[in-house]
């Protein structure tokens, strides 16, 4: 059967079963619209989560008298490429520049602080939320053995929230695919089920022919 004949047969069947054809097309449009919306939402949500996963940071502050050699030694111990995306060293001078940028509208605060007052630090970015948890655990272990580490800062609530969102999106995508496949399968079954009784006489004649 040529493409031209297929289109002719389709047009003829649509005219014969207008309501059924309209209903089938309408349902298919709804399924595809919901599918597109669901997939787009999942992709956007996942990309947003991946963006914030990489923005999640752990800040390790050292005592002010800590030498760069000690800081770099600590950095090398926790710099595991499997979990860590990047580690940025922030010296006292760099910290002072950041401080001035944050409080540039309040000169009095800037005048009361010098670079020597601010501690050096390391800013760690992990590859993912799961990786960040492993990085934090390793940092805390190294902190117990390193007298130069003063404080470790991270946003625990934000970390837990992002982990929950990431898990929910993954589950939603996993559930969405079989659900949409089931809807499409049921739609095909219903359409065939309606068409066979409507054309049983034609089918019987064609069978006899």
């Amino acid at each position: 059967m040529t493409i031209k004949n297929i289109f002719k047969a389709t047009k003829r069947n649509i005219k014969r079963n207008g309501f059924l054809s309209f209903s089938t097309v309408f349902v298919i449009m709804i399924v595809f619209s919901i599918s597109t919306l669901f997939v787009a939402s999942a992709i956007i949500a996942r990309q947003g989560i991946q963006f914030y996963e990489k923005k999640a940071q752990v800040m390790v502050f050292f005592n002010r008298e800590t030498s760069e050699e000690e800081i770099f030694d600590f950095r090398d111990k926790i710099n595991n490429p499997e979990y860590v995306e990047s580690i940025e060293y922030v010296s006292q001078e760099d910290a002072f520049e950041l401080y001035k940028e944050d409080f540039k509208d309040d000169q009095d605060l800037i005048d009361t602080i010098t670079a020597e007052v601010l501690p050096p630090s390391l800013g760690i970015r992990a590859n993912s939320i799961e990786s960040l948890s492993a990085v934090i655990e390793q940092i805390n272990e190294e902190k117990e053995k390193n007298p130069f580490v003063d404080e470790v800062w991270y946003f625990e609530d934000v970390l837990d929230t992002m982990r929950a969102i990431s898990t929910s999106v993954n589950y939603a995508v996993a559930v969405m695919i079989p659900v949409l496949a089931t809807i499409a399968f049921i739609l095909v079954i219903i359409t065939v089920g309606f068409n066979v009784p409507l054309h049983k006489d034609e089918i019987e004649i064609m069978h006899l022919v």
Side-chain angles (χ1 to χ4, degrees), residues 52-65:
Y52 284 108
E53 281 180 347
K54 293 184 178 181
K55 287 296 181 181
Q57 277 195 342
V58 181
M59 298 299 300
V60 181
F61 294 94
F62 297 85
N63 298 324
R64 289 191 293 271
E65 65 274 9

Side-chain angles (χ1 to χ4, degrees), residues 124-166:
I124 298 97
R125 297 183 189 275
N127 294 324
S128 65
I129 291 298
E130 293 76 15
S131 298
L132 184 57
S133 300
V135 171
I136 292 172
E137 183 178 351
Q138 184 178 5
I139 289 174
N140 288 329
E141 290 177 359
E142 292 295 332
K143 178 186 175 183
E144 298 298 324
K145 300 180 291 185
N146 195 315
F148 297 101
V149 177
D150 184 23
E151 289 185 277
V152 178
W153 285 7
Y154 63 93
F155 299 101
E156 187 173 4
D157 294 339
V158 175
L159 175 62
D160 292 338
T161 301
M162 290 174 62
R163 185 187 293 112
I165 294 175
S166 179

Side-chain angles (χ1 to χ4, degrees), residues 33-53:
S33 298
I34 295 175
S35 303
T36 303
L37 179 63
F38 216 120
V39 171
S41 300
I43 292 174
I44 293 173
R46 186 58 189 164
Q47 289 179 341
I49 290 170
Q50 289 176 346
F51 173 79
Y52 284 108
E53 281 180 347

Side-chain angles (χ1 to χ4, degrees), residues 1-200:
M1 183 177 289
T2 63
I3 296 178
K4 183 177 180 181
N5 290 334
I6 292 175
F7 277 110
K8 284 183 178 179
T10 302
K11 183 178 180 181
R12 183 171 60 252
N13 288 328
I14 289 176
K15 288 181 178 180
R16 289 179 179 177
N17 308 286
F19 177 76
L20 181 61
S21 300
F22 173 79
S23 301
T24 303
V25 172
F26 181 72
V27 172
I28 291 176
M29 287 179 59
I30 292 177
V31 170
F32 274 100
S33 298
I34 295 175
S35 303
T36 303
L37 179 63
F38 216 120
V39 171
S41 300
I43 292 174
I44 293 173
R46 186 58 189 164
Q47 289 179 341
I49 290 170
Q50 289 176 346
F51 173 79
Y52 284 108
E53 281 180 347
K54 293 184 178 181
K55 287 296 181 181
Q57 277 195 342
V58 181
M59 298 299 300
V60 181
F61 294 94
F62 297 85
N63 298 324
R64 289 191 293 271
E65 65 274 9
T66 306
S67 65
E68 289 189 349
E69 183 179 355
E70 292 289 347
I71 295 175
F72 293 155
D73 182 61
F74 182 90
R75 178 193 63 185
D76 294 339
K77 289 180 179 178
I78 64 172
N79 190 14
N80 186 345
E82 184 178 355
Y83 303 117
V84 177
E85 180 183 350
S86 65
I87 300 180
E88 180 183 2
Y89 169 60
V90 181
S91 65
Q92 289 178 291
E93 291 75 17
D94 294 334
F96 184 56
E97 292 300 322
L98 293 173
Y99 180 85
K100 289 194 296 183
E101 180 66 24
D102 290 338
F103 297 99
K104 60 184 177 181
D105 296 330
D106 196 333
Q107 188 61 38
D108 292 336
L109 286 176
I110 297 176
D111 293 338
T112 58
I113 296 295
T114 61
E116 289 73 18
V117 177
L118 300 174
S121 62
L122 291 175
I124 298 97
R125 297 183 189 275
N127 294 324
S128 65
I129 291 298
E130 293 76 15
S131 298
L132 184 57
S133 300
V135 171
I136 292 172
E137 183 178 351
Q138 184 178 5
I139 289 174
N140 288 329
E141 290 177 359
E142 292 295 332
K143 178 186 175 183
E144 298 298 324
K145 300 180 291 185
N146 195 315
F148 297 101
V149 177
D150 184 23
E151 289 185 277
V152 178
W153 285 7
Y154 63 93
F155 299 101
E156 187 173 4
D157 294 339
V158 175
L159 175 62
D160 292 338
T161 301
M162 290 174 62
R163 185 187 293 112
I165 294 175
S166 179
T167 303
S168 299
V169 170
N170 291 334
Y171 281 136
V173 172
V175 171
M176 176 193 67
I177 295 176
V179 167
L180 293 179
T182 302
I183 292 174
F185 178 76
I186 293 174
L187 177 62
V188 171
I189 295 298
I190 292 174
T191 303
V192 173
F194 272 111
N195 273 281
V196 170
L198 288 174
H199 299 282
K200 62 180 181 179

